[in-house]
Amino acid sequence: MSLIEGKTGNWEVVIGLEVHAQVVSQSKLFSGAATGFGAEPNTQVSPVDAAFPGMLPVINRFCVEQAVKTGIGIEGKVNPISVFDRKNYFYADLPAGYQISQFTRPIVSGGSIALDLPEGRSRTIGVTRLHLEQDAGKSLHDQHPNLTYVDLNRAGTALMEIVSEPELRSAEEAGAYLRKLRMILRYLGTCDGNMEEGSLRCDANVSVRKPGAPLGTRCEIKNVNSIRFAMLAIDYEARRQIEMIEEGGIVKQETRLFDSARGVTRPMRSKEQAHDYRYFPDPDLLPLVLDPAEIERLRAAMPELPDRKKERFIQDYKLTSYDAGVLVSERLTADFFERVAKGRDARAAANWVTGELFGLLNRAGKGIEQSPVSADAIGALLDLIADNTVSGRTAKDVFAEMFETGKDAAAIVEAKGLRQVTDSGAIEAAVDRVIAEQPEKVAEFRAGKDKLLGYFVGQVMKATGGKANPGTLNELLKKKLSG
Amino acid sequence: MSIDKATVAHIAALARIRVPEADLERLAGELRKIVAWIEQLDEIDTSGVEPMASVVEMTTPQRPDEVNDGDCRDKVLANAPAASHGFFTVPKVVE
Amino acid sequence: MSELCDLTIAQARDGLRTRRFSARELTAAHVKAMEAARGLNAFITETPERALADAARADVRIAAGDARALEGIPLAIKDLFCTEGVPTTAASHILDGFKPPYESTVTAKLWAQGAGMLGKANLDEFAMGSSNMTSYYGAVRSPWRRRGDDRPLVPGGSSGGSAAAVAARIAMAALGTDTGGSIRQPASFTGLVGMKPTYGRCSRWGIVAFASSLDQAGSLTRTVRDSAIMLRAMSGHDPKDSTSATLPVPDYEAALTGNIRGLRFGVPKEYRVEGMPAEIEKLWQTGIEWLRAAGAEPVDINLKLTKYALPTYYIIAPAEASSNLARYDGVRFGLRVEGKSIEEMYEATRAVGFGDEVKRRILVGTYVLSAGYYDAYYLKAQRVRALIAADFKRAFEKVDVILTPTAPSAAFAIGEKMDDPLAMYLNDVFTVPISLAGLPGISVPAGLSAEGLPLGLQVIGRAFDEETVLRAAESLERAANFTARPPALT
């Protein structure tokens, strides 16, 4: 358990997260308007989204399926009957004056998320519930000195609110929770997880207590839009609360905002008024009833999720836990790796993907889906190493060129004459030549300066244009030098 | 609890309806009367009865995920008391 | 007044098809009547040009032998239905200047059957009222008068403008909405047939919402046959309304066989409420005798929770309304009263934009939903509602329809009952239980009070069995032979 040291001793931080994940869908939860990000203001708004008089909601089947899939993915219980309630409050970008949400009967109850922590540690965090609700629009406060501009494009887009139990105990765990949840959502294709665009947002409930003491008063930090900020905000907030208590103050239950520029949290003025959401079942909608056969169909069609995949990579491919973890972090990466590894040395494939490929992709600022080298092309290169056509060292140069030009490995090897020399006669000649040219070094070696072996290897490689088969070279060199 | 001026002021604030101080007492009286009248429901034993949110004996219908609405900004903004640059505008909101 | 205005829809339909008159003539006569009767204040927006253009198109269809069910029939539309490009006010200041960019499903269905629109009829603000006194656009006057008393009377409400327009022979029929009696009670007050179909029979899409679990569109007509014609045109599944029934729509006119032999009709003794005028009790007895004489069999039934229906309704309807009316905030449509902050803007807009009765109901609704009270009021009411619905279900195991009075009194004068909201609420004592149970109900003019004012009887049916309701109603209509007309028209 990670504790924070205060003046009066150690403190435990208690964190619960409410994640709002925008559902990937073409149209909105209750209207046929489009959901894409970045459109001109108010161009993706139907009269339903703008809550015009007499407009009524009809639920999007696909959004329901997305929530069911996510519920299964976090090992929750999908409820055959759930109910939509109205959450009543006034806000400029909440057109109806209420948000359609699920309060008493969510679509998913319970669930859990396994955290991957440093040094291979792991913890399982309980999920209380997942429910479907509408997103609000966006208010722009900085466009005009005394007006707020309201864009309803986002209003009515489907959200999944995923609520964790207050079981997280550090900013680090909160970060790991968010990373794992995002990973699962991306695997399922139910949320793109893009925090910059706001498709994944997080509210953090933070309180502190002395270990073993009852729960302290919590503050809710609203709408944090990156994992790093969430961690910074939690850390700041925990320390703020500890300081306040240690100085004899009392933590006030309130809603706060994280100011990422200053790295602090501050009370949210618009939430000062006591809220009373007056939830009641939305009379415009009837209970959402799911056919058990439909739930089973979705369950059967679930993709393999990261935890299971990682386990399989370790088992079947004999990968290290670390490599497996890196490879499963994105479904595309895992698929890419498996395609490279198919019928080949899996550990070599893992090394090439996590080493060479990731290195070049990182430098180019590209994701794996933009890789100029396909999995099959890397596989072909690995085959050239395996059958001794090229050495591992040469292969790295070949790969760099593949990445640069998109050409395949065999063509580059042929065009540049990089095929490695395995003819022991040719290598032997080169060895003989080097030994003859460097009598002093040979004498030193023979006198016991073993380290010079590397030097000789380099010289012979140079003489063969780097194409000598390293095994043959080593063998011959050792024999001749000692002879 | 009986409805007093403070109760009326509180619910009026929740409902975002400005009620002049002078009207609070009158409204409190009216509401007290209405609420006392609806409280006759307490005479009925409803234990074990499921609340009925709708008379419709159906489940909610689900529509396919198709874009067939929106993309009508002019229509959406045509009735707005104030709009600018394609946005609705309101007095500045402080977060 | 042109005799064309005295025709029923069924008669006009025949006249148009046999070319005794044109749709233009028919509509022009009604437009003239509308202009002549402006003193009733039945309309918030008159659309005579539109009506005449609709009629001209109807004449083309009729000439081509291609007439539809309501071809050339001029109607009044309660101003709660959104009509594309035509101001829609809900009789509220807060919807100032609002022109919907869409057409309600029910009005669209009427236009698709060839009907024309004379205008948008006045109503109680947001349909909250039983007198049409709460309209921002002023009270509607009924064309009826008490014998020897010239004080103007209310037409009932909330569909008061619709009722006045049809009773005064301005419109051949009118569209109304009924949440707790808003079609049936004004029908009873003005000597009309007022039908509230089963909840879910007509789409709510495009109707300004009052209480979503109760609101239902219906019609005010001068005959049961016209009611059947209107209902068929208005009904049907709407994929845009999640509460819309997926059932097929019967040919309601064909259900009017005139034969109710063997029909069992329930007479609930709990409807003999304290203080009910003797003449209404007597009318009810007469109705029972009429149905019996036509071969139907009366059955005593119990609707034990009848007296609890009103308080139940006055929890549920305001609760839903408080939420439904939150969208009137001065941001996207309608009235805005400026303020320094958005909160000030909201509070000023809603204080100025809503009338007293609407505010009262929003406050009651907000209160019963608020923290600490939800279980005691709202949930309790939903439980009682379940019991009320169960009572009806049990009754309908024994009977096919139920016969009751529509309202506990005849129309009252403008200004009466205004100082006590609860006294006003009692107007709906016989109609509200049916609304809570979502059942179809129709009011049929059955006689006159001692003062010479119309009184209606209500026929209630099983869910989605409007056919039997209409058949029984037609039988009552025939027996009652209600021919009285508002004094101004005689």
Side-chain angles (χ1 to χ4, degrees), chain C residues 224-264:
Chain C
V224 172
R225 180 165 299 273
D226 286 3
S227 191
I229 295 169
M230 285 290 286
L231 183 59
R232 191 181 186 194
M234 293 161 59
S235 298
H237 177 242
D238 182 1
K240 291 187 288 190
D241 175 358
S242 296
T243 61
S244 164
T246 51
L247 300 170
V249 178
D251 179 350
Y252 293 113
E253 221 183 330
L256 304 178
T257 58
N259 181 3
I260 58 160
R261 204 155 287 282
L263 190 86
R264 296 164 67 86

Side-chain angles (χ1 to χ4, degrees), chain C residues 217-436:
Chain C
S219 68
L220 291 124
T221 57
R222 290 196 289 270
T223 66
V224 172
R225 180 165 299 273
D226 286 3
S227 191
I229 295 169
M230 285 290 286
L231 183 59
R232 191 181 186 194
M234 293 161 59
S235 298
H237 177 242
D238 182 1
K240 291 187 288 190
D241 175 358
S242 296
T243 61
S244 164
T246 51
L247 300 170
V249 178
D251 179 350
Y252 293 113
E253 221 183 330
L256 304 178
T257 58
N259 181 3
I260 58 160
R261 204 155 287 282
L263 190 86
R264 296 164 67 86
F265 66 99
V267 182
K269 65 167 186 285
E270 292 82 2
Y271 274 59
R272 287 190 182 89
V273 295
E274 215 178 295
M276 182 162 80
E279 61 186 3
I280 289 184
E281 166 80 41
K282 189 165 155 263
L283 182 75
W284 189 13
Q285 281 310 318
T286 310
I288 293 168
E289 289 315 313
W290 285 335
L291 289 184
R292 196 208 301 271
E297 182 196 338
V299 179
D300 284 329
I301 57 165
N302 285 109
L303 294 170
K304 291 191 296 294
L305 294 169
T306 297
K307 74 173 241 203
Y308 298 105
L310 270 180
T312 301
Y313 174 88
Y314 276 95
I315 293 171
I316 293 169
E320 293 182 8
S322 71
S323 178
N324 282 335
L325 270 57
R327 68 190 57 199
Y328 304 101
D329 59 4
V331 177
R332 296 163 316 285
F333 39 75
L335 180 75
R336 171 186 292 192
V337 177
E338 293 297 345
K340 279 198 288 293
S341 69
I342 190 163
E343 293 298 329
E344 272 186 39
M345 189 271 274
Y346 285 152
E347 296 196 343
T349 299
R350 292 165 62 80
V352 172
F354 293 133
D356 285 346
E357 180 61 23
V358 172
K359 283 189 227 176
R360 192 180 294 127
R361 295 204 198 183
I362 290 175
L363 293 178
V364 170
T366 303
Y367 180 72
V368 298
L369 288 175
S370 64
Y373 299 102
Y374 176 80
D375 288 11
Y377 297 119
Y378 183 79
L379 267 191
K380 178 80 185 183
Q382 294 289 32
R383 290 197 167 95
V384 177
R385 185 179 187 179
L387 292 175
I388 290 170
D391 263 4
F392 276 107
K393 206 161 195 169
R394 238 185 330 272
F396 279 117
E397 286 167 8
K398 292 198 291 182
V399 300
D400 303 300
V401 293
I402 295 169
L403 182 73
T404 73
T406 306
S409 75
F412 43 90
I414 287 176
E416 284 174 7
K417 300 198 192 190
M418 291 308 293
D419 46 354
D420 182 1
L422 285 181
M424 189 66 87
Y425 295 172
L426 290 173
N427 264 288
D428 295 328
V429 62
F430 297 145
T431 47
V432 150
I434 292 84
S435 299
L436 288 172

Side-chain angles (χ1 to χ4, degrees), chain A residues 25-33 41-43 45-46 52 58-62 90-91 141 144-152 266 269-270 273 278 285-289, chain B residues 10 13-16 50 53-54 56 58-77 79 84-95:
Chain A
S25 66
Q26 298 296 310
S27 60
K28 294 183 178 177
L29 182 55
F30 295 114
S31 90
N42 292 310
T43 55
V45 181
S46 82
F52 272 54
V58 182
I59 201 167
N60 182 334
R61 175 191 305 277
F62 184 68
F90 285 83
Y91 201 77
H141 306 301
H144 190 281
N146 36 32
L147 293 177
T148 287
Y149 282 29
V150 179
D151 172 14
L152 298 180
R266 61 169 172 85
R269 301 241 323 252
S270 56
Q273 234 165 349
R278 289 160 284 136
L285 292 160
L286 302 169
L288 175 63
V289 176
Chain B
H10 173 66
L14 279 178
R16 299 296 187 278
E50 271 297 301
S54 172
V56 181
M58 258 175 25
T59 62
T60 217
Q62 301 178 36
R63 53 168 238 281
D65 182 25
E66 287 164 7
V67 176
N68 51 23
D69 204 348
D71 198 11
C72 53
R73 177 157 83 185
D74 293 348
K75 279 186 177 181
V76 166
L77 293 178
N79 281 289
S84 178
H85 302 97
F87 294 92
F88 297 98
T89 63
V90 297
K92 196 158 199 92
V93 177
V94 182
E95 287 211 311

Side-chain angles (χ1 to χ4, degrees), chain B residues 21-32:
Chain B
E21 169 71 26
D23 292 353
L24 289 174
E25 192 54 65
R26 174 184 58 82
L27 275 169
E30 285 177 13
L31 263 52
R32 264 196 303 273

Side-chain angles (χ1 to χ4, degrees), chain C residues 85-128:
Chain C
V86 178
T88 299
T89 68
S92 182
H93 188 25
I94 210 156
L95 269 170
D96 265 10
F98 176 59
K99 283 187 189 172
Y102 45 85
E103 184 76 27
S104 85
T105 297
V106 167
T107 49
K109 279 175 174 285
L110 295 178
W111 315 146
Q113 289 299 325
M117 179 165 78
L118 288 162
K120 303 295 291 290
N122 205 341
L123 65 149
D124 279 298
E125 185 182 2
F126 281 104
M128 296 180 192

